[in-house]
Amino acid sequence: MLGAVIFEINITTPLRRLLQWTLPALATLSLLLGLAANITSTETFYRVDYTTALRLQGATIPSHLAMLALVGMMVSARFAFSDKRQLVLFLVNFGIVTWTGTRAAMIAAAIVVFAWVIADIIHTRRTVGAYRLSRTLVVAALSAMIFVSYLPELVQRMSFVHYEDAAFLADSAEDIDESGNSILQDTVSTMASLNTSGRLTAWRYYLEVALENPFFGRGVGAGTVAAQGVLHPAFARAPHNEYIRLLVDGGILG
C-alpha cells in the first residue's frame, strides 16, 4: 500500500521515471507471461477455483497478482492527475485486482478508487473550476462497471458452501465443545452465509491454541507447527492471519 511513497524519496530523475512506468505495468506483464505460458500449455493465466468462480492469476497465483496490481494502482494514482496514460494504467490495475477475485485486495482497491475520486474532485475544483468533473465521473463510472462485471463471480465465491473441506478440521472434526455442540457442525453453520475458504475454522483453531498461554504465547515458530496433522494442509503451516500467528507465537505481550 506504500508503493507511492517511494516517489517522495530524493531519487534521480531517470530512476523515478523508470519506477513510474514499470511498477504500474508489473501486473499486466504478469498477465502477458501467464498468457504465454497458457499458449505453450505450461500453465494457465487464469484458474477456476473450487467455487467455480473464474480468477486471473497471470504468471503467479491470484492473490499475488492482486498485490502487484494494487501497488500499480497506488503508483498510478499519484501521477494520474497530470497524465492520462497513468489514469489508464490505474483503471487497468483496478480491473486486474477485481478479476483476481482476491477479496481483501478488492476492498483495498475500492478504497483507493474512492480516495482518488475525492482527491480528483478537490484537484479539479482548485485547477479548472467546480463544473468540469468529466474525468472524475468517467473514472467513477468505469470503476463501477469493472466491479459489476465481476459481481456474479464474486457472489459465487462468497456464497459457495458445498466445498467438502469447508471445515478444515480432520481428526478433531467431531470434537464436542463445552456446550455439547459439534465443532464441525457449528463451524459449517457459521460459514453457511459467508464462504471464507476455511479461514474461520482455521482462525478458531489457532485462537484456541493461543489461549492456552495468552500472555506469552506458545513460543516463536509455534504458529507454523500447531496445526500440522490436524488442519487441512493449506492451513497446517500458517493460520492465514498474521495477527493470530503472532498471538500464537508470542502472546499478548509478544
Side-chain angles (χ1 to χ4, degrees):
M1 292 301 291
L2 299 177
V5 174
I6 193 172
F7 295 97
E8 303 305 323
I9 302 172
N10 186 20
I11 57 179
T12 62
T13 300
L15 179 58
R16 179 182 294 270
R17 289 177 179 171
L18 177 67
L19 294 174
Q20 177 181 341
W21 292 105
T22 54
L23 292 178
L26 287 176
T28 301
L29 176 61
S30 178
L31 275 182
L32 293 175
L33 291 173
L35 182 60
N38 189 85
I39 293 174
T40 58
S41 300
T42 306
E43 185 59 87
T44 59
F45 72 103
Y46 68 92
R47 71 166 61 174
V48 177
D49 71 4
Y50 67 90
T51 66
T52 72
L54 186 145
R55 305 179 66 187
L56 293 180
Q57 64 180 12
T60 173
I61 63 174
S63 57
H64 292 178
L65 177 61
M67 293 305 148
L68 277 179
L70 194 56
V71 170
M73 282 187 67
M74 294 296 294
V75 173
S76 292
R78 189 184 189 284
F79 299 100
F81 297 115
S82 57
D83 194 324
K84 292 181 179 178
R85 295 171 297 177
Q86 288 283 349
L87 188 57
V88 171
L89 286 172
F90 179 80
L91 290 170
V92 167
N93 279 310
F94 179 64
I96 292 174
V97 171
T98 301
W99 276 86
T100 63
T102 305
R103 290 165 289 187
M106 290 173 69
I107 294 171
I111 293 172
V112 173
V113 170
F114 178 78
W116 190 90
V117 167
I118 298 301
D120 194 46
I121 292 174
I122 297 171
H123 177 79
T124 304
R125 286 178 180 272
R126 289 177 177 175
T127 56
V128 297
Y131 301 103
R132 297 181 59 185
L133 299 177
S134 56
R135 179 178 63 185
T136 308
L137 294 175
V138 167
V139 171
L142 288 176
S143 299
M145 290 171 62
I146 291 170
F147 177 78
V148 170
S149 71
Y150 192 75
L151 192 56
E153 305 290 333
L154 180 61
V155 170
Q156 180 67 12
R157 286 210 74 209
M158 296 291 285
S159 59
F160 190 91
V161 295
H162 300 296
Y163 187 34
E164 61 183 6
D165 284 332
F168 283 91
L169 296 175
D171 296 336
S172 60
E174 292 301 330
D175 287 352
I176 305 300
D177 62 19
E178 294 179 357
S179 61
N181 297 320
S182 164
I183 292 177
L184 176 61
Q185 293 176 354
D186 178 58
T187 305
V188 171
S189 63
T190 301
M191 295 178 65
S193 59
L194 176 65
N195 174 30
T196 64
S197 301
R199 284 174 175 79
L200 284 181
T201 300
W203 295 346
R204 174 176 177 172
Y205 176 82
Y206 279 96
L207 282 173
E208 290 176 350
V209 172
L211 291 176
E212 293 176 8
N213 191 351
F215 293 104
F216 298 100
R218 300 294 302 279
V220 176
T224 63
V225 298
Q228 290 184 8
V230 179
L231 299 187
H232 184 280
F235 295 97
R237 291 174 295 180
H240 287 246
N241 184 307
E242 284 302 288
Y243 301 104
I244 294 178
R245 186 187 66 80
L246 290 172
L247 187 64
V248 172
D249 284 10
I252 296 172
L253 296 179

